[in-house]
Amino acid sequence: MRRFMYCKVVLATSLVWVLVDVFLLLYFSECNKCDEKKDRSLLPALRAVISRTQEGPGEMGKAVIIPKDDQEKMKELFKVNQFNLMASDMIALNRSLPDVRLEGCKTKIYSDDLPNTSVVIVFHNEAWSTLLRTVHSVINRSPRHLLEEILLVDDASERDFLKRKLENYVRNLEVPVRIIRMEQRSGLIRARLRGATATKGQVITFLDAHCECTVGWLEPLMARIKEDRKTVVCPIIDVISDDTFEYMAGSDMTYGGFNWKLNFRWYPVPPREMDRRKGDRTLPVRTPTMAGGLFSIDRNYFEEIGTYDSGMDIWGGENLEMSFRIWQCGGSLEIVTCSHVGHVFRKATPYSFPGGTGHVINKNNRRLAEVWMDEFKDFFYIISPGVVKVEYGDVSIRKALRDRLLCKPFSWYLENIYPDSQIPRRYYSLGEIRNVETNQCLDNMGRKENEKVGMFNCHGMGGNQVFSYTADKEIRTDDLCLDVSRLNGPIVMLKCHHMRGNQLFEYDAQTHTFLHVITQSCLTVSRLKDGSHG
Ligand SMILES: *[C@@H]1O[C@H](CO)[C@@H](O)[C@H](O)[C@H]1NC(C)=O
Ligand SMILES: *[C@@H]1O[C@H](CO)[C@@H](O)[C@H](O)[C@H]1NC(C)=O
Ligand SMILES: [Mn+2]
């Protein structure tokens, strides 16, 4: 009898456990499908805790979807700042964001006596919600003792709410926020210079006016500058969608480069940089260039290294100028992979520049090419031939700075800092590739990656007909290399991989032929014309 009772108890308990298991299984398999269900099935008390941070438009960095009825209005408002203003205005100024850091970053311990920073934010007709969400995210996610102040530099905005209303609003914030007004439209470069001279912190952190800082963004930046005050540091720039304001983590596996046209571009972090860090992705990445919108620099070092080139107008090229200068003059530039800051990337600029965007950027790029790039400026000039007609003003002060700081040549930078550069450190020729029989030239036809290279009447104007036969025996045009993957196959343009293989060509000066080594077939009956830039 006792035995029977005992069995009944055992049976009953196992039944309970089976039921619990079934319940758990059902619960979790359903919850994987959608977040809403998960919320509904949670205990009310738990739900209340979560709702405070996870409900509301855009909380936890979620996308905001505008209802159908409002979409016309949304499109109208989009034009004001070239991002979804309606979505931005719906999101709390202090919205919550996910912690997107690598696991190894979350447990790092930083010293107590890190340098503090002034945050400088330049704005021009910025939206209220994006500007103040930037400010609130800085205040809420920075340890108070590391944040000296926030400086908002108004580059002659016209919008009314950016005047008194803004001044009254920031007065009540728990961190000193100062507003500096430029008398007239001066552009990012001069406005940042003005902001920088007014700072009091040990470090200057420049941010764009539509950013959101995530948890733990500041400590690793300050820690790296404390270790080496000549290191200029950038966070990983996460993407805030311009359509939905969804927060998407950026990659720690890309770093900054540039192409022959001197456009800043992201490229994969090369294996040598992974090896140097022994595969530890939480260590800072040495980057050849920076995007320029977001970085921190020791305030005194900013002065020593020559701030910005104040002869540059408005915006554009200043990020490469600073990158080259930092590396060539003894500093270093890094992406601190434990620091994440989001930025609203736009497809078009909402601003008009005096003199036109193209002209301003060409002028700035000429200044940086003339001062820093030595003979390698030819790559820039030959691929954008019209640019040599653009006046770039007087650069003697910047050249004197280069001499005074005993800066290294651009070839040193290419060799030591950016060996995987799109501009080849060593090359046999730079110019057109002409077919002697047909008198036609190899032409990239303005096509993109993965498309075929073409032939066209030689026009002698550079641009699409500029190719370089490099010391690695690749034929490249800007950041693309001629690539043949099968016998008699088409010649396509792919990202240069520096591994020879399908991108290896032998030139025979006697017969004027290019032999594609792997397929053992000739590119074309062609002669490499040594134009004036050869
Ligand atoms: C944002 O601020 C409001 C009002 O001060 C507060 O109730 C809310 O909890 C805050 N949200 C977050 C995510 O901190
Ligand atoms: C930041 O550092 C400066 C210089 O050391 C100091 O005077 C200032 O009080 C510090 N600010 C904060 C907020 O700790
Ligand atoms: Mn921006």
Side-chain angles (χ1 to χ4, degrees):
M1 197 59 196
R2 275 190 67 129
R3 219 183 136 101
F4 183 58
M5 273 299 285
Y6 184 72
C7 279
K8 266 213 304 211
V9 169
V10 169
L11 263 174
T13 32
S14 23
L15 201 66
V16 167
W17 280 116
V18 165
L19 281 172
V20 166
D21 282 352
V22 167
F23 173 77
L24 282 176
L25 268 172
L26 277 175
Y27 172 76
F28 278 111
S29 51
E30 265 198 17
C31 287
N32 286 341
K33 281 178 213 138
C34 65
D35 288 338
E36 253 174 67
K37 261 191 193 149
K38 192 174 191 167
D39 283 353
R40 245 184 275 128
S41 50
L42 286 174
L43 296 169
L46 191 56
R47 195 187 328 156
V49 172
I50 288 177
S51 71
R52 234 176 289 143
T53 55
Q54 296 210 341
E55 275 169 23
E59 290 298 330
M60 288 311 283
K62 293 225 180 69
V64 173
I65 309 296
I66 304 293
K68 264 219 172 65
D69 289 349
D70 292 333
Q71 298 222 335
E72 280 308 311
K73 184 123 184 287
M74 175 195 83
K75 281 180 193 145
E76 268 314 300
L77 287 170
F78 196 98
K79 294 177 196 152
V80 179
N81 293 86
Q82 294 296 333
F83 54 63
N84 191 340
L85 183 56
M86 183 181 265
S88 177
D89 286 350
M90 287 164 66
I91 301 170
L93 296 180
N94 61 349
R95 77 154 156 182
S96 51
L97 291 176
D99 184 350
V100 295
R101 294 172 298 174
L102 293 165
E103 282 307 316
C105 294
K106 297 179 185 174
T107 50
K108 280 196 197 245
I109 314 264
Y110 298 100
S111 111
D112 289 331
D113 58 343
L114 296 179
N116 65 36
T117 189
S118 297
V119 174
V120 175
I121 299 169
V122 172
F123 66 94
H124 173 72
N125 286 343
E126 187 62 47
W128 178 266
S129 53
T130 43
L131 178 63
L132 286 160
R133 199 172 301 114
T134 309
V135 170
H136 278 284
S137 76
V138 170
I139 294 175
N140 292 343
R141 303 207 179 88
S142 307
R144 183 62 190 87
H145 69 286
L146 295 187
L147 185 58
E148 168 70 23
E149 61 189 338
I150 299 174
L151 294 181
L152 300 178
V153 187
D154 175 12
D155 188 11
S157 299
E158 289 125 14
R159 296 187 185 154
D160 220 31
F161 58 80
L162 295 171
K163 307 266 157 60
R164 285 291 285 280
K165 186 180 174 199
L166 182 65
E167 284 160 26
N168 291 335
Y169 186 90
V170 300
R171 201 168 293 141
N172 298 321
L173 298 172
E174 56 264 47
V175 170
V177 180
R178 283 193 281 154
I179 302 174
I180 297 169
R181 311 273 188 189
M182 305 298 283
E183 297 75 41
Q184 55 178 8
R185 184 80 197 282
S186 313
L188 179 81
I189 298 163
R190 288 173 199 136
R192 278 189 168 181
L193 282 171
R194 173 77 70 84
T197 37
T199 55
K200 290 188 285 208
Q202 295 152 287
V203 170
I204 305 174
T205 298
F206 292 103
L207 292 182
D208 223 345
H210 29 260
C211 287
E212 288 175 66
C213 304
T214 66
V215 58
W217 74 287
L218 189 57
E219 297 90 328
L221 297 176
M222 296 306 111
R224 188 67 189 112
I225 290 175
K226 183 183 159 68
E227 249 170 52
D228 177 0
R229 60 181 288 277
K230 294 188 172 183
T231 304
V232 178
V233 288
C234 312
I236 289 186
I237 307 176
D238 295 332
V239 176
I240 301 170
S241 161
D242 55 346
D243 279 324
T244 65
F245 277 73
E246 181 180 8
Y247 197 98
M248 292 169 279
S251 169
D252 64 294
M253 304 294 269
T254 60
Y255 75 177
F258 59 93
N259 62 17
W260 293 6
K261 299 186 185 83
L262 301 184
N263 304 121
F264 172 86
R265 287 281 180 273
W266 297 104
Y267 294 105
V269 174
R272 72 180 147 77
E273 188 54 19
M274 293 306 277
D275 295 346
R276 186 186 65 81
R277 299 184 295 154
K278 304 196 170 59
D280 183 351
R281 288 162 56 191
T282 68
L283 294 178
V285 175
R286 288 157 62 93
T287 180
T289 71
M290 64 169 159
L294 292 62
F295 67 95
S296 297
I297 184 168
D298 179 276
R299 187 158 58 94
N300 294 326
Y301 186 58
F302 184 60
E303 283 293 326
E304 278 167 46
I305 196 84
T307 63
Y308 276 116
D309 176 359
S310 60
M312 285 189 172
D313 293 335
I314 315 286
W315 170 88
E318 86 291 345
N319 57 332
L320 295 191
E321 193 272 343
M322 193 160 193
S323 306
F324 297 165
R325 179 157 44 86
I326 289 164
W327 281 119
Q328 286 174 246
C329 309
S332 57
L333 183 58
E334 297 183 349
I335 296 169
V336 173
T337 53
C338 284
S339 173
H340 279 262
V341 176
H343 171 254
V344 182
F345 284 89
R346 291 182 280 207
K347 295 170 193 86
T349 168
Y351 314 124
S352 58
F353 290 7
T357 322
H359 179 83
V360 168
I361 293 176
N362 283 338
K363 172 186 167 177
N364 292 353
N365 281 344
R366 280 213 72 183
R367 290 182 71 87
L368 92 94
E370 289 295 329
V371 177
W372 297 103
M373 292 180 70
D374 307 327
E375 67 273 24
F376 294 93
K377 69 186 176 194
D378 288 348
F379 283 87
F380 172 52
Y381 288 151
I382 197 171
I383 200 155
S384 21
V387 86
V388 291
K389 296 192 204 85
V390 176
E391 294 287 338
Y392 60 91
D394 182 4
V395 292
S396 56
I397 294 174
R398 300 307 282 181
K399 284 191 164 162
L401 172 79
R402 181 175 165 169
D403 289 343
R404 182 156 47 82
L405 295 174
L406 307 173
C407 306
K408 299 190 182 80
F410 199 70
S411 58
W412 174 89
Y413 167 81
L414 290 180
E415 188 128 353
N416 296 280
I417 305 305
Y418 199 13
D420 49 323
S421 162
Q422 312 310 318
I423 289 183
R425 164 75 183 89
R426 289 170 215 285
Y427 57 98
Y428 295 109
S429 72
L430 174 63
E432 60 190 24
I433 296 178
R434 184 188 292 259
N435 183 313
V436 247
E437 318 268 87
T438 65
N439 237 4
Q440 288 212 315
C441 278
L442 212 55
D443 193 312
N444 68 35
M445 315 298 272
R447 289 178 189 148
K448 297 192 191 66
E449 185 176 0
N450 226 344
E451 298 183 330
K452 275 188 274 187
V453 71
M455 296 292 283
F456 201 78
N457 295 336
C458 300
H459 53 50
M461 307 267 285
N464 291 349
Q465 296 189 350
V466 176
F467 291 81
S468 178
Y469 184 51
T470 70
D472 292 337
K473 301 190 172 172
E474 60 199 6
I475 303 173
R476 59 156 71 217
T477 168
D478 205 343
D479 56 0
L480 300 177
C481 275
L482 299 196
D483 189 299
V484 186
S485 54
R486 58 191 147 86
L487 195 63
N488 303 322
I491 305 166
V492 294
M493 300 180 289
L494 290 182
K495 281 267 147 62
C496 303
H497 54 47
H498 318 284
M499 317 250 269
R500 296 169 165 257
N502 292 343
Q503 299 184 351
L504 180 64
F505 292 87
E506 280 295 345
Y507 181 64
D508 185 330
Q510 233 116 74
T511 57
H512 305 308
T513 52
F514 277 111
L515 177 72
H516 185 253
V517 176
I518 282 200
T519 56
Q520 283 294 309
S521 42
C522 281
L523 169 68
T524 173
V525 193
S526 62
R527 182 163 61 91
L528 195 62
K529 195 192 155 218
D530 276 327
S532 53
H533 292 268

